[in-house]
Amino acid sequence: MIDRINASQPKHIVTVEDPIEFLHRDKRSILNQREVGQDTGSFKRALRRVLRQDPDVILVGEMRDEETVATALSAAETGHLVLSTLHTLDVPETINRIIDYFPPHMHGQARAMLAGTLKGVVSQRLVRTADGRGRAATCEILRTTGRVRDMIMNLAETGRLSEVITEGAYYGMQTCDQHLLAHVQSGRVDMEEALKAATSPHDFKLLVASGGQRSTSVDQLMTA
């Protein structure tokens, strides 16, 4: 992601990491990497100071508390591109985790901030490859659309985000199970490992059996 940002027009990029795992060299952009414990005391302290420098892009290694999340959302509201990570299982859990960092009386405000700033979520699971020598990245991808924003705002609808992702191939979305299916079909991952990583093993078996078709259309019946 950092390399892609550098490849576009020049940017001022600041990262806050714990620890710094990869050292990125300046290319067309100015890149400033800071390590928690060495250059700053905490994520939230660093993020407050970073905003005073008005960078174009802010990378927060991990959002761990309410203040860090709130500051990251505020930075996004003022036009900064903010990238960060959370330890979650899938996209809906990621959305709920961000909201749950706030006290209950602030959930409405948190939902509004998130719906207004979120560009997308990528949830990754590493699955053992068929040859046993490595791991295949299996990604669930959400891209924010008008419908997604409405579902984030509505507590009763947030849990149905998986349905939007399942049907969102046109927008570049995919569920973890859909990506697992592609791995199985290509031979990168065997069925046993895929079932261990699947969100719903039973539904995944049906998905594999149908070749990825979740429903039967009239055209399919006519050509069968």
Side-chain angles (χ1 to χ4, degrees), residues 1 4 89-92 94-95 118-125 137-145 148 161-180 199:
M1 179 65 75
R4 289 183 181 181
L89 183 63
D90 54 24
V91 169
T94 300
I95 301 297
L118 186 68
K119 298 300 182 184
V121 179
V122 178
S123 179
Q124 177 180 278
R125 304 176 194 176
T138 304
C139 299
E140 183 163 286
I141 302 172
L142 170 76
R143 296 186 68 177
T144 305
T145 62
V148 169
L161 281 171
S162 293
E163 298 176 17
V164 177
I165 300 171
T166 300
E167 303 166 357
Y170 176 82
Y171 299 101
M173 302 189 212
Q174 67 180 16
T175 65
C176 175
D177 287 2
Q178 287 172 333
H179 199 186
L180 273 174
T199 300

Side-chain angles (χ1 to χ4, degrees), residues 66 99-113 155:
E66 178 194 340
I99 295 168
D100 286 344
Y101 272 118
F102 296 86
H105 70 277
M106 292 184 63
H107 280 188
Q109 179 182 349
R111 287 181 179 277
M113 293 176 69
L155 172 62

Side-chain angles (χ1 to χ4, degrees), residues 177-178 180-181 184-185 191-214:
D177 287 2
Q178 287 172 333
L180 273 174
L181 174 65
V184 171
Q185 291 175 332
M191 187 65 175
E192 182 180 355
E193 290 296 326
L195 287 172
K196 292 178 183 178
T199 300
S200 174
H202 175 72
D203 290 344
F204 182 71
K205 288 180 181 179
L206 297 177
L207 189 63
V208 172
S210 65
Q213 299 295 328
R214 290 183 173 270

Side-chain angles (χ1 to χ4, degrees), residues 18-19 36 43 60 62-66 68-69 85-86 101:
D18 182 20
V36 174
F43 281 108
V60 183
E62 184 179 351
M63 294 192 292
R64 297 177 178 174
D65 53 59
E66 178 194 340
T68 302
V69 174
T85 65
L86 286 170
Y101 272 118

Side-chain angles (χ1 to χ4, degrees), residues 1-219:
M1 179 65 75
I2 294 295
D3 288 337
R4 289 183 181 181
I5 293 170
N6 269 332
S8 62
Q9 62 184 18
K11 301 286 186 182
H12 177 201
I13 305 169
V14 177
T15 75
V16 185
E17 305 170 68
D18 182 20
I20 294 176
E21 299 181 17
F22 299 96
L23 185 61
H24 298 279
R25 302 295 182 183
D26 292 348
K27 293 183 180 179
R28 293 183 59 198
S29 297
I30 300 173
L31 182 57
N32 188 331
Q33 293 180 259
R34 300 176 185 178
E35 183 172 352
V36 174
Q38 295 291 328
D39 306 311
T40 184
S42 64
F43 281 108
K44 57 186 179 183
R45 180 179 298 178
L47 199 50
R48 287 199 302 267
R49 286 164 172 74
V50 164
L51 289 176
R52 298 172 185 168
Q53 300 178 17
D54 193 29
D56 301 297
V57 183
I58 303 170
L59 170 66
V60 183
E62 184 179 351
M63 294 192 292
R64 297 177 178 174
D65 53 59
E66 178 194 340
E67 185 174 357
T68 302
V69 174
T71 306
L73 290 174
S74 296
E77 283 186 316
T78 56
H80 301 84
L81 174 60
V82 181
L83 310 174
S84 192
T85 65
L86 286 170
H87 291 287
T88 52
L89 183 63
D90 54 24
V91 169
E93 184 180 336
T94 300
I95 301 297
N96 288 324
R97 178 71 62 82
I98 292 173
I99 295 168
D100 286 344
Y101 272 118
F102 296 86
H105 70 277
M106 292 184 63
H107 280 188
Q109 179 182 349
R111 287 181 179 277
M113 293 176 69
L114 188 58
T117 59
L118 186 68
K119 298 300 182 184
V121 179
V122 178
S123 179
Q124 177 180 278
R125 304 176 194 176
L126 297 180
V127 184
R128 187 185 299 274
T129 54
D131 60 13
R133 297 180 179 179
R135 298 291 187 274
T138 304
C139 299
E140 183 163 286
I141 302 172
L142 170 76
R143 296 186 68 177
T144 305
T145 62
R147 185 182 177 191
V148 169
R149 292 189 185 95
D150 291 342
M151 295 178 84
I152 291 174
M153 287 292 296
N154 189 340
L155 172 62
E157 294 289 316
T158 306
R160 298 179 56 226
L161 281 171
S162 293
E163 298 176 17
V164 177
I165 300 171
T166 300
E167 303 166 357
Y170 176 82
Y171 299 101
M173 302 189 212
Q174 67 180 16
T175 65
C176 175
D177 287 2
Q178 287 172 333
H179 199 186
L180 273 174
L181 174 65
H183 285 325
V184 171
Q185 291 175 332
S186 67
R188 286 189 295 269
V189 174
D190 62 34
M191 187 65 175
E192 182 180 355
E193 290 296 326
L195 287 172
K196 292 178 183 178
T199 300
S200 174
H202 175 72
D203 290 344
F204 182 71
K205 288 180 181 179
L206 297 177
L207 189 63
V208 172
S210 65
Q213 299 295 328
R214 290 183 173 270
S215 61
T216 303
S217 68
V218 173
D219 290 338

